[in-house]
Amino acid sequence: MPVSAPPTPGPSVPDAASQLSTLADAPLRNALDASDNAIVMTNSAKRVVYVNQGFTRLFGFEPEEMLGKYLSQVLLGPYSDPALLASIRDNVTTQGQFHVETLLYSKTGQPRWVSMVINASDEASGGPGGSVTILTDITLTKMHEVLQTRVLEGMVSELPLRDLMALVCSEVERIAPEVTASILAVDAQGQLHPLAAPGLPPSVCDALDGLPIGPQVGSCGTAAYRNQPVIVTDISTDPLWTDYRALFAPTGLQACWSSPIRNHQGTPIGTFAFYFREQREPDALHQRLVEVCLHLCALAIERDATHQRIHQLAFFDALTGLPNRAMFCSSAERALARLQQDTHPGALLFLDLDRFKQVNDTQGHAAGDALLCEVATRLTQCLRARDLIGRLSGDEFVLLLSECSTEQAVQAAHRMLEAIAQPLEINGQVNLPHASIGIAMFPDDGASIDILLRHADQAMHQAKSDHRHSLQLFSAEMNRRAQKRASLERALQQALAERTLTLHYQPQVLSRSPGTLHGVEALARWNHPQWGMVPPSQFIPVAEEAGLIHTLTLWLLDEACRQLAAWRAAGHHVPCVAVNLSGRSFHLPEFAQEIGEALRRHGLRASDVLLEITESVMMDARPVTLTNIDTLHQQGFKLSLDDFGTGYSSLSYLHRLPISELKLDMAFVQDLTTSPTARALTVSVLSIAHSLGMVVVAEGVETTGQQQWLQAHGCPVMQGYLFGKPLPPDEIEAWLCAQAPGQHR
């Protein structure tokens, strides 16, 4: 294929028929014309002397239009390989042949990818003196290959979806210059959003953005609505375009063919459209282009949706849609850096719902989820554009208020508490949600998001302790207490692991014979090597909050059983040992079995151990709690209700549950000699217990006056410093001997 410059006039060239008469007979000519391949012969001057009908069908040129011309004059176009002619000349000259895949153009300017095979054919061998070229149309194959390669390479390179779709449109318009392509996305709400339309004016794209799909929304909106291709050959008259004709009139586009882009479930997620500047239908090339592009577009859009979903799951809370901890902290660090640079203050608010667990327990988790979503909405509405919000976990929310003073933070927190407290109806039930908020100020209370979160969390817990539905500012003293509590938790965990806690035992005596032992109550004691004796009032709540209480309960039970067995083996008469059980342990299905195993390990019977529970356990309606209580009762264990009368006791529970003992709280006992109310309530408890066949143990008996009153009113068992304080095991043995020498051995 010689250079494409216009040739200088040369000797006349015979017509194709006369050339063929010297080259072949009629059957050969017919065979050549019937071939799907384009066949071209040139003479020694590189001018065309013959083309078959296959050439005409492929490129649109009649034979008389080609004779005497260079192929390069008519077939090379704007995107043809500029080095093609040199490659042909070098290879045909040196090797006598050449094979290449290249881009040529038809008479109408349509690009054609062809496989070109050129063989030298000199006159000495009977040829035309130049070459014989065979051109095979590989447009569809090459089109698919080029498009797919470019798009897949873009995906591998993490090209943004819009850039990737612009690449598809550009490639399509290069292959088919008469086409103006557009790709629109369809969101979950059925609205259109342009992804790429390089040939359309920006004003048109802006007008299409957010447009809902429908039965008469142009070609694209209708194709997505019908989930099938829509061909409009005349935009100016088609009723589908009634509302959008004026919008597209300035573009000069007259026809449009739009096809839905479907995901793997068959749902429309976009549209792919070809616009034409003449009234026409798409041809076979256009149809093949669309087939290829629809698959690639669907792949790209679904891949982008998957990436967004992964990003959403990684950085946003699935329930409320708010940023999660990772996303919030990342955004907050950048916001704090800006505040520091501009020397502006900020406030971190840590919010936790009050009694949220009660909603889940009484109304179900679906109601709890609905409450969380509504709280997220109410909090978001309280924020300014520059503020941040996130959901950390459960019912915890966190907010960063930029350029905010302490006074402004307090005012904002009050607004949030008020917004949250508005009534909310869930499944026909009205809820009045409340929350507690802790506030830490930047930079005074911390320069990093981690420190601010920790301090605001401490302030929030203080707000809950002081008064729910309130707010609390962080203070240094609060931080000191929190650090002390954290140290206490770590030390308690170590003490439990090393079993360095001990038990003391307080005697319980019979009222009619104060020297006769009814039993002993096991009480945990902790003598820390540095801190000395740590009161139970300090480490028991820590064990509850840190999730160590069940471990502590099992240790206490095992140690008490071991000690009782040791006393029995040594001949000391201790009728039974009372053990305090944590309410949280009753939430574990295996708890009743663990108690039974502890007794079996030490050779004890159920009657040897009295299990003390609180009113919260008695009133717990969880099936697992009731099952544990029932199992213990069936195994022969006796339950003692501790601190009776100080909570929300219901007499119906005393009747329904297997309780054999009531412990009268020391608050009543202390006031027996001075308060008529305390005496009246105590008489009532004694009467109730007597009627139900229960034993009453009066705690905190410290004076003979209290003892005498209780004896006079028939209290069967007493416990308190008047008879003995909590003692280590060896001192209990001495106490037994002191009451009646030789009696307890």
Side-chain angles (χ1 to χ4, degrees):
M1 187 180 290
V3 296
S4 58
T8 56
S12 63
V13 180
D15 62 28
S18 62
Q19 281 292 320
L20 277 179
S21 66
T22 63
L23 295 173
D25 55 15
L28 179 57
R29 289 199 305 273
N30 293 337
L32 292 175
D33 285 339
S35 173
D36 287 335
N37 295 326
I39 301 174
V40 183
M41 297 181 184
T42 62
N43 60 19
S44 57
K46 306 295 189 295
R47 298 177 186 275
V48 174
V49 296
Y50 168 77
V51 295
N52 70 343
Q53 288 300 311
F55 184 91
T56 301
R57 288 192 294 272
L58 179 58
F59 293 106
F61 293 100
E62 296 294 335
E64 55 270 18
E65 295 179 273
M66 293 299 301
L67 296 179
K69 294 183 178 178
Y70 296 124
L71 276 178
S72 58
Q73 282 181 266
V74 292
L75 298 186
L76 295 185
Y79 295 102
S80 296
D81 182 4
L84 177 63
L85 295 179
S87 297
I88 293 174
R89 183 171 54 250
D90 294 344
N91 283 275
V92 172
T93 300
T94 58
Q95 302 179 28
Q97 63 180 7
F98 183 60
H99 178 208
V100 69
E101 293 181 355
T102 191
L103 181 65
L104 304 177
Y105 288 82
S106 70
K107 182 178 180 179
T108 59
Q110 196 82 3
R112 292 283 188 267
W113 279 97
V114 298
S115 171
M116 176 186 289
V117 178
I118 303 176
N119 287 284
S121 180
D122 56 28
E123 295 176 349
S125 60
S131 63
V132 177
T133 301
I134 300 175
L135 303 160
T136 303
D137 187 4
I138 61 168
T139 301
L140 296 181
T141 303
K142 196 67 176 179
M143 176 182 66
H144 186 283
E145 175 188 319
V146 170
L147 269 172
Q148 182 165 279
T149 299
R150 295 290 302 275
V151 173
L152 293 181
E153 285 177 350
M155 289 186 187
V156 172
S157 302
E158 298 292 339
L159 203 63
L161 179 62
R162 292 182 181 275
D163 293 348
L164 204 57
M165 296 297 93
L167 174 64
V168 171
C169 291
S170 298
E171 285 296 316
V172 164
E173 292 173 358
R174 184 171 70 84
I175 294 171
E178 72 280 7
V179 165
T180 296
S182 78
I183 301 173
L184 309 181
V186 178
D187 65 20
Q189 288 72 44
Q191 295 180 336
L192 298 171
H193 302 284
L195 291 178
L200 293 180
S203 59
V204 171
C205 295
D206 292 342
L208 294 177
D209 195 16
L211 194 68
I213 64 174
Q216 288 187 303
V217 185
S219 298
C220 294
T222 307
Y225 180 80
R226 296 178 181 175
N227 197 15
Q228 62 185 33
V230 171
I231 299 176
V232 172
T233 57
D234 186 0
I235 290 176
S236 64
T237 60
D238 197 291
L240 296 181
W241 280 80
T242 300
D243 296 333
Y244 309 98
R245 199 169 289 130
L247 176 65
F248 276 78
T251 66
L253 300 173
Q254 299 187 42
C256 179
W257 174 35
S258 182
S259 301
I261 302 169
R262 303 183 181 97
N263 61 15
H264 64 283
Q265 297 171 327
T267 303
I269 55 175
T271 61
F272 183 55
F274 279 3
Y275 293 90
F276 303 96
R277 295 188 176 277
E278 57 186 6
Q279 297 175 8
R280 58 165 294 175
E281 291 186 351
D283 59 24
L285 173 65
H286 300 141
Q287 292 172 358
R288 181 57 180 155
L289 268 173
V290 168
E291 289 175 10
V292 174
C293 291
L294 286 178
H295 172 70
L296 293 172
C297 290
L299 187 65
I301 294 174
E302 281 201 280
R303 181 175 182 270
D304 184 72
T306 300
H307 280 183
Q308 290 186 23
R309 179 61 178 160
I310 292 172
H311 183 270
Q312 184 77 16
L313 291 173
F315 296 106
F316 290 86
D317 172 49
L319 176 63
T320 64
L322 296 179
N324 61 12
R325 178 184 290 271
M327 183 66 168
F328 176 83
C329 289
S330 176
S331 301
E333 285 289 7
R334 292 192 296 271
L336 293 179
R338 290 193 296 271
L339 290 176
Q340 184 176 22
Q341 182 178 0
D342 298 335
T343 64
H344 288 309
L348 189 81
L349 278 59
F350 197 115
L351 182 146
D352 186 89
L353 296 180
D354 296 335
R355 299 186 180 90
F356 175 71
K357 187 174 182 296
Q358 184 177 349
V359 176
N360 276 336
D361 291 344
T362 58
Q363 300 180 54
H365 287 278
D369 289 347
L371 175 58
L372 290 173
C373 291
E374 178 61 24
V375 168
T377 300
R378 294 179 180 184
L379 287 175
T380 302
Q381 292 171 348
C382 292
L383 297 181
R384 304 163 299 178
R386 62 176 178 268
D387 298 330
L388 300 176
I389 183 173
R391 181 189 176 203
L392 298 188
S393 63
D395 58 339
E396 294 178 342
F397 297 85
V398 62
L399 308 98
L400 179 64
L401 310 183
S402 295
E403 301 179 30
C404 180
S405 66
T406 302
E407 293 76 12
Q408 291 170 327
V410 170
Q411 293 170 4
H414 278 301
R415 288 196 300 271
M416 293 174 191
L417 291 175
E418 183 178 349
I420 290 173
Q422 297 304 308
L424 170 65
E425 183 175 326
I426 303 176
N427 298 327
Q429 184 168 342
V430 177
N431 291 263
L432 296 173
H434 293 295
S436 300
I437 297 179
I439 304 174
M441 297 302 301
F442 172 85
D444 295 344
D445 297 331
S448 71
I449 189 61
D450 290 337
I451 295 175
L452 289 172
L453 277 173
R454 186 169 71 249
H455 289 171
D457 185 18
Q458 293 169 12
M460 182 274 295
H461 279 93
Q462 186 64 50
K464 280 190 179 293
S465 299
D466 294 345
H467 187 273
R468 292 177 185 268
H469 188 49
S470 63
L471 62 90
Q472 176 70 53
L473 289 163
F474 171 79
S475 68
E477 174 60 23
M478 191 183 302
N479 185 45
R480 189 192 65 78
R481 290 197 303 268
Q483 295 295 334
K484 181 179 179 181
R485 186 211 169 279
S487 299
L488 195 65
E489 178 183 329
R490 290 192 296 268
L492 179 59
Q493 194 168 18
Q494 181 180 358
L496 287 171
E498 298 174 355
R499 298 178 72 90
T500 55
L501 273 69
T502 59
L503 286 184
H504 284 195
Y505 301 87
Q506 187 169 30
Q508 299 171 331
V509 301
L510 297 177
S511 179
R512 65 178 182 272
S513 178
T516 303
L517 192 66
H518 169 74
V520 294
E521 180 181 5
L523 300 166
R525 294 294 183 263
W526 182 15
N527 189 4
H528 190 273
Q530 280 81 42
W531 304 331
M533 294 300 297
V534 181
S537 59
Q538 287 187 16
F539 71 81
I540 296 297
V542 170
E544 290 273 2
E545 295 171 10
L548 301 172
I549 193 64
H550 183 61
T551 303
L552 177 58
T553 299
L554 292 181
W555 168 83
L556 189 151
L557 180 67
D558 185 75
E559 178 61 20
C561 289
R562 185 201 64 77
Q563 184 59 61
L564 182 59
W567 279 329
R568 297 274 179 85
H572 297 293
H573 178 64
V574 178
C576 69
V577 60
V579 177
N580 290 278
L581 302 181
S582 165
R584 296 192 181 184
S585 294
F586 281 87
H587 301 165
L588 304 175
E590 66 276 10
F591 185 46
Q593 181 181 349
E594 290 174 331
I595 294 175
E597 290 173 352
L599 268 69
R600 285 190 291 273
R601 278 196 302 271
H602 300 287
L604 300 178
R605 297 168 301 175
S607 58
D608 294 326
V609 176
L610 189 68
L611 305 177
E612 292 191 6
I613 63 172
T614 61
E615 292 184 0
S616 63
V617 175
M618 182 183 72
M619 301 182 70
D620 189 346
R622 290 180 179 87
V624 64
T625 299
L626 298 177
T627 299
N628 273 318
I629 291 176
D630 185 59
T631 302
L632 292 172
H633 179 56
Q634 292 177 9
Q635 293 176 356
F637 286 99
K638 295 179 180 179
L639 297 182
S640 173
L641 185 57
D642 197 13
D643 299 335
F644 182 75
T646 60
Y648 302 93
S649 299
S650 171
L651 297 181
S652 64
Y653 284 94
L654 297 180
H655 170 68
R656 289 165 46 195
L657 298 179
I659 296 172
S660 60
E661 179 181 283
L662 298 179
K663 299 196 75 175
L664 185 65
D665 188 76
M666 63 176 63
F668 293 102
V669 175
Q670 289 173 350
D671 295 337
L672 283 177
T673 57
T674 59
S675 170
T677 302
R679 290 194 292 269
L681 291 173
T682 301
V683 168
S684 299
V685 171
L686 291 170
S687 176
I688 292 170
H690 179 74
S691 300
L692 297 176
M694 297 178 182
V695 174
V696 174
V697 177
E699 296 183 294
V701 180
E702 298 180 350
T703 68
T704 55
Q706 295 166 352
Q707 176 193 8
Q708 291 169 358
W709 192 96
L710 290 167
Q711 286 175 330
H713 289 82
C715 180
V717 180
M718 291 180 281
Q719 175 182 347
Y721 277 26
L722 182 63
F723 313 104
K725 64 180 182 179
L727 302 169
D730 56 341
E731 294 186 28
I732 283 290
E733 297 169 9
W735 184 91
L736 291 170
C737 295
Q739 299 307 307
Q743 177 180 333
H744 299 284
R745 290 190 64 86

